[in-house]
Amino acid sequence: MKNDISVKTVDDILRKFFPSSCDKVAQAMEYSVFSGGKRIRPMLLLATAQAVGGSINDGAKTLAAALEYIHTYSLIHDDLPCMDNDDLRRGKRSCHMQYGEACAVLAGDALLNLAVEVCFGGPIEDKRYSEACKYLFAMSGVNGMIHGQSLDLFTETKNVDDANEVALHKTGDLLRAAIVCGALCGGAREEEIAIFDRIAIKLGVCYQVIDDMLDSSKCEKSFLDVMGERDLKEYAQNLTHDIAELIKRLPYDMSFISEIAAGNLTRTK
């Protein structure tokens, strides 16, 4: 399948739903949303919807925007002094460094609320779309991404299972939201949804494995606490192989996921 979904495609969708207000909080929101980034999550959602359904419908576009707003809010809050205390994000001053802590908190809160508003403005009467909305907020909520942040902040990484659990929720759950919501919008069958979810879980964990290896001097908790670098590379390769095997079980051209999984092994940032 020829994938013509680009960062510009996503940015155009994000602009469509973005509020017109220009107060300080709105400026901080815009600064953070449009500060760069690879847009992997919304691109995965759109590409999966296209692969399954043959086109990108309005529901998929709406969910892609909501997903990126949620992702950006999580980055704003993650950078705060009370969390990871990062001064830079995507090569620029992080939101709280640019606009102050109070404004950054409000900007993150506002982006989460915007995600909800955007979702309610979509084709909510469509059962598959409403199911995808529910899944998106489940994966970003107290049993999803926020649970991952909690594990990262308040628990020890004692073994590989602990590291997997953090990675699954902190990084993997938004990737699960991307791929599963895309599959739902495209009309995938229930048994196919389960395969898409397994692919996303392995991709999310593998993505965090590579992140930890690239940020070995920065990460306070990581896979490197419980595995050597050589074993970790092998683990990432095995996860990528598993993804390829799962893709073979689907009747769709999922080459875009194969490319992301393979590229993850060799990325440098």
Side-chain angles (χ1 to χ4, degrees), residues 24-26 28-29 76-77 80-82 94-110:
K24 186 174 181 180
V25 171
M29 293 165 65
I76 292 173
H77 283 186
L80 289 168
C82 62
S94 53
C95 188
H96 73 273
M97 293 296 293
Q98 186 73 9
Y99 290 94
E101 288 182 42
C103 189
V105 170
L106 289 174
D109 293 345

Side-chain angles (χ1 to χ4, degrees), residues 135-152:
Y135 192 82
L136 170 61
F137 289 106
M139 288 296 100
S140 58
V142 70
N143 293 314
M145 177 190 70
I146 290 175
H147 177 52
Q149 292 281 22
S150 175
L151 292 173
D152 192 40

